[in-house]
Amino acid sequence: MDGWRTAAACQEVDPDLFFPVGTGAPALAQEEKAKKVCRACPVREPCLREALDQPRPPSGVWGGLTEDERRSLVRRRRRRADHRS
Ligand code: SF4
């Protein structure tokens, strides 16, 4: 187990909270609850980094971002890197 996981704020929370199903209002409300836990998490950065480093993007909320939000972040970073080269 990675060292940072031992400090994860989500250890005390039902893991299902981080995997909302669907796109309706209940799923969005669940997503917001998960993000609230992440905002108070001391290991948000390494958690997000691990999600971004996976060859296949993991589902659910990691590091305070949904799968779609992480995809957008990767695209923005790639565009920024392309502009610099
Ligand atoms: S950032 Fe969120 S998902 Fe990641 S360890 Fe912290 S609480 Fe868990």
Side-chain angles (χ1 to χ4, degrees):
M1 179 185 269
D2 294 312
W4 61 265
R5 289 178 190 263
T6 59
C10 51
Q11 285 183 105
E12 308 299 324
V13 181
D14 180 353
D16 286 347
L17 178 67
F18 294 82
F19 300 94
V21 176
T23 54
L28 293 177
Q30 185 180 335
E31 206 172 271
E32 280 312 308
K33 275 189 194 168
K35 287 178 173 183
K36 190 174 177 188
V37 175
C38 293
R39 279 195 291 273
C41 180
V43 292
R44 189 173 168 180
E45 282 302 315
C47 175
L48 178 59
R49 209 174 314 123
E50 177 159 324
L52 295 174
D53 286 347
Q54 300 294 317
R56 285 185 60 192
S59 61
V61 174
W62 284 61
L65 298 181
T66 64
E67 190 175 347
D68 284 347
E69 290 167 339
R70 292 194 306 275
R71 246 188 235 119
S72 297
L73 177 64
V74 168
R75 277 196 298 267
R76 282 197 306 275
R77 285 181 177 177
R78 278 198 194 123
R79 273 199 297 269
R80 234 179 283 143
D82 287 348
H83 284 295
R84 286 190 194 129
S85 60

